[in-house]
Amino acid sequence: MSVFDKPSRRNRIGYRFERRDRAEPIIDALYKVVADARKNAGKRGYGSQESEVLDHIDQIVTDLYAAWFSDSSLYVGYSRGSAAFRKSGSYKGQLNEDIFLHVIDSLAVAGYIENHEQDAGFKDTSSRMRCTPKLALLIEGARLNWASVITPPSKHVLVLKGQKDKKTGNRKVISIDEGDDPQIPVMIDNLTVINEKLSRTLINIAVTDDEQAEINKRLRNDPENLALDFTQRHLYRVFVNNNWDEGGRFYGGWWQGVPSEYRHHIRIQGKMTVEWDYSAIHPSILYAQKGLPRPSDAYDIPGWDRTIQVDKEVTLRDVIKKAFNQLINSKPVTKPKSRWRTLAPDFKPEPEPKNWSDMKKHQKAAYLRKVFKGITGKDYSDLLQDIIDHHEPIADVFFTQSWGRMQKLDSDIAEAVMVDLYEQGIVVLPIHDSFIVRRGFEGYLKSAMNRAYQKYVAAIPGMKSDRQEMTFDEWILPEGETGILTGTEVMEIGLAEVIKRKLYFARDGQWKSVWGSIGWD
């Protein structure tokens, strides 16, 4: 397999090491390597550009180390083409082309970076680089680690994207100005406060090392994550369709990529957590806007067994939920039933066809509909019709492309929940319309969720918890045994659990070595 076919994530701009007293000697040493390489090439020193070069080194090595800590096999993709640094390129105004590429090339020659340049003009994949053990040892030898990696709290907090490209399905990022919309300064201020506190709060997950490996294996199929990256404590909002009133959901936190069955292991400041979410928030809002009571379960469609497993991770209820949103977001031209063949159930086929990546959109839709029928015995169009019939009181919202506006509403509610709790000194982690807090703060969370919902929707929200209680037996007693344990037996079991979770306890220690405590006061 070519290096360009191996898992990689895009390079991230703006990362810094927080402990400057520890970071600056490293950056200075690497600057000497870069400056000497320039001198050996017969060029002058950097002169007034020295601070800019130091900044580039800081960003490059911090980003590479963050990727290395999450998974040492993970590559970081980056652009070498001049277009990326000019006009509307992704690096425009943030990176200097000559400095950026010289730093990478110089540190690669010196053995600090493993670098692979892609052929010029090759469109499918970018160049690749990754941290080497030599660079990781240099960083960790200075008592720096994942906990010291942060993003400036107000940097890159708002992302505005255009319409989907008809061919690729991608959205182009649009440059923004704070004066573009009166909402922008307020959203930036709110996220700055939230990010400042998140960056200084220990957020960990108490899974075993084997469970962490399993999570990372599953994340390999998610191009937005690829592996748990505990440096990702910086939230940002993404708006779509070149419109500040569409989208706006929060992204960026590593906890958002954790599969739902593992989320109860998340720890905030060393404490166990609980997750609460709004029940079927979009259908509930739509019914409330009609002055109607919300359904007890909007995704319980008569004639459909919600418990059917579509794949290892997805049930039919998950498919129904996505189908409901699909109907909301479909174009008016799709309303005639003859056009529904273009709509497909949203799940990953297992096994995935060998030519899946080469199949066109309509071919994938036809394939998924066939798989869906094989699993359920019914056509996907039957499900769409049954959803429309079941939700007849709000049927006029289907095929109106209003999902983006619904997302803006639920993201504003989420923002209000977080602002409310952070003002009370309570750390809350958002996952779209659900929230994680330390156990004991459930009452504060539910009150904040209720206030935020009623601020934007004139109705009482439905809320539920996925809290999973763990009994004494589950934590302590070996399988198949009952009775009273001796102190020695309890210590042995406790030690065994510590050994299983070496990575979790190591992260706790690494955090305290940088920050000295487990969270902001």
Side-chain angles (χ1 to χ4, degrees):
M1 177 186 291
S2 165
V3 67
F4 300 108
D5 296 322
K6 293 182 179 180
S8 71
R9 68 156 171 78
R10 188 67 184 172
N11 66 312
R12 295 169 181 159
I13 303 169
Y15 270 169
R16 298 285 191 283
F17 284 119
E18 170 67 11
R19 289 295 301 267
R20 302 312 298 172
D21 57 324
R22 301 178 185 179
E24 287 175 0
I26 294 176
I27 305 305
D28 289 343
L30 295 175
Y31 174 81
K32 187 176 186 306
V33 173
V34 173
D36 286 347
R38 183 177 174 86
K39 181 179 178 182
N40 293 336
K43 298 181 180 180
R44 293 183 178 181
Y46 280 111
S48 61
Q49 287 186 305
E50 179 176 335
S51 62
E52 189 176 3
V53 178
L54 289 166
D55 181 67
H56 278 60
I57 294 171
D58 195 359
Q59 293 192 69
I60 292 168
V61 301
T62 308
D63 180 33
L64 289 174
Y65 177 75
W68 182 89
F69 185 84
S70 67
D71 184 337
S72 60
S73 69
L74 194 62
Y75 283 92
V76 172
Y78 73 100
S79 297
R80 296 186 69 92
S82 295
F85 302 86
R86 301 172 186 169
K87 296 181 180 178
S88 59
S90 56
Y91 300 153
K92 172 67 176 176
Q94 302 180 78
L95 296 173
N96 177 295
E97 179 181 359
D98 292 336
I99 294 175
F100 180 66
L101 297 182
H102 180 65
V103 166
I104 292 172
D105 295 344
S106 301
L107 295 182
V109 171
Y112 292 103
I113 294 176
E114 178 189 334
N115 186 39
H116 301 271
E117 295 183 30
Q118 181 57 281
D119 295 335
F122 197 85
K123 303 299 183 182
D124 291 338
T125 56
S126 61
S127 294
R128 299 280 189 266
M129 59 179 172
R130 67 179 172 185
C131 178
T132 63
K134 182 178 180 179
L135 178 58
L137 285 171
L138 179 68
I139 292 169
E140 294 176 350
R143 294 182 299 138
L144 293 169
N145 55 56
W146 68 275
S148 53
V149 177
I150 66 166
T151 303
S154 61
K155 192 175 182 67
H156 303 312
V157 293
L158 299 181
V159 177
L160 179 63
K161 295 185 176 182
Q163 299 278 352
K164 275 188 178 181
D165 184 277
K166 292 182 179 180
K167 291 183 178 179
T168 65
N170 298 326
R171 298 178 185 270
K172 186 176 181 180
V173 175
I174 299 170
S175 60
I176 63 176
D177 184 272
E178 285 197 31
D180 288 348
D181 191 284
Q183 303 175 77
I184 295 176
V186 176
M187 292 189 293
I188 290 176
D189 289 344
N190 287 338
L191 267 171
T192 298
V193 171
I194 292 168
N195 284 332
E196 282 177 343
K197 293 174 178 177
L198 282 174
S199 69
R200 293 183 283 122
T201 300
L202 171 58
I203 308 166
N204 206 345
I205 184 166
V207 292
T208 67
D209 294 357
D210 289 342
E211 287 171 332
Q212 183 171 325
E214 172 60 24
I215 292 172
N216 283 341
K217 182 180 178 182
R218 288 169 62 175
L219 290 180
R220 270 288 189 263
N221 297 319
D222 182 355
E224 298 299 321
N225 292 287
L226 295 175
L228 290 175
D229 183 349
F230 297 95
T231 68
Q232 291 288 88
R233 306 183 300 281
H234 181 92
L235 296 175
Y236 58 91
R237 296 182 72 174
V238 178
F239 296 84
V240 297
N241 298 329
N242 195 16
N243 192 331
W244 293 106
D245 290 320
E246 295 191 41
R249 279 188 166 176
F250 294 83
Y251 297 92
W254 66 262
W255 55 89
Q256 295 174 324
V258 176
S260 58
E261 65 267 32
Y262 290 107
R263 289 208 291 258
H264 66 279
H265 290 298
I266 291 172
R267 302 289 183 264
I268 297 176
Q269 296 168 309
K271 306 298 183 182
M272 296 176 71
T273 59
V274 61
E275 179 180 353
W276 279 81
D277 69 347
Y278 291 110
S279 301
I281 188 169
H282 286 177
S284 296
I285 289 173
L286 291 169
Y287 273 85
Q289 290 174 339
K290 296 280 190 181
L292 299 171
R294 60 181 177 82
S296 57
D297 189 340
Y299 308 124
D300 185 7
I301 307 300
W304 295 86
D305 182 356
R306 298 176 303 160
T307 64
I308 292 176
Q309 206 71 31
V310 177
D311 64 27
K312 288 188 297 185
E313 301 174 27
V314 177
T315 64
L316 184 57
R317 186 184 189 279
D318 299 318
V319 175
I320 292 172
K321 180 178 180 179
K322 291 178 179 179
F324 183 94
N325 290 328
Q326 185 181 60
L327 288 168
I328 292 175
N329 203 42
S330 293
K331 298 178 181 179
V333 295
T334 317
K335 191 171 183 178
K337 205 165 186 177
S338 60
R339 302 293 300 273
W340 292 5
R341 65 181 182 278
T342 62
L343 304 178
D346 188 358
F347 64 91
K348 293 180 180 178
E350 293 183 355
E352 192 173 275
K354 292 182 180 180
N355 63 334
W356 182 252
S357 59
D358 297 323
M359 290 171 66
K360 297 186 182 299
K361 186 177 179 180
H362 72 275
Q363 293 173 320
K364 289 183 176 181
Y367 185 87
L368 286 169
R369 290 174 71 96
K370 182 179 179 181
V371 172
F372 178 86
K373 189 167 186 177
I375 294 171
T376 66
K378 300 180 183 180
D379 192 82
Y380 185 61
S381 293
D382 295 336
L383 173 61
L384 297 178
Q385 185 63 61
D386 287 348
I387 292 173
I388 294 171
D389 292 343
H390 186 64
H391 291 290
E392 189 276 333
I394 59 168
D396 60 334
V397 77
F398 297 134
F399 305 103
T400 60
Q401 288 188 288
S402 59
W403 192 48
R405 294 190 294 277
M406 295 299 298
Q407 275 200 348
K408 174 59 164 57
L409 184 54
D410 76 49
S411 67
D412 284 343
I413 292 171
E415 180 188 52
V417 171
M418 288 190 286
V419 169
D420 189 337
L421 291 177
Y422 277 105
E423 286 179 348
Q424 298 181 66
I426 298 172
V427 177
V428 56
L429 310 178
I431 308 176
H432 304 319
D433 59 346
S434 73
F435 306 89
I436 297 174
V437 295
R438 284 172 48 176
R439 288 195 178 188
F441 289 140
E442 297 100 312
Y444 294 96
L445 173 58
K446 288 189 286 184
S447 294
M449 290 173 67
N450 187 46
R451 285 192 294 270
Y453 190 88
Q454 292 193 56
K455 177 181 178 181
Y456 290 96
V457 184
I460 302 297
M463 294 182 286
K464 63 182 186 297
S465 170
D466 291 332
R467 181 170 179 165
Q468 299 184 28
E469 298 287 356
M470 290 177 236
T471 66
F472 181 80
D473 287 355
E474 290 173 319
W475 274 102
I476 301 297
L477 295 179
E479 184 178 353
E481 294 186 19
T482 59
I484 299 174
L485 297 175
T486 66
T488 300
E489 289 171 330
V490 171
M491 290 180 64
E492 288 176 350
I493 294 169
L495 179 60
E497 289 300 314
V498 169
I499 292 173
K500 290 179 184 177
R501 294 170 171 81
K502 287 188 291 185
L503 294 176
Y504 163 68
F505 287 106
R507 287 191 295 273
D508 266 10
Q510 290 161 344
W511 178 273
K512 292 170 186 175
S513 75
V514 171
W515 295 95
S517 63
I518 58 175
W520 56 283
D521 296 324

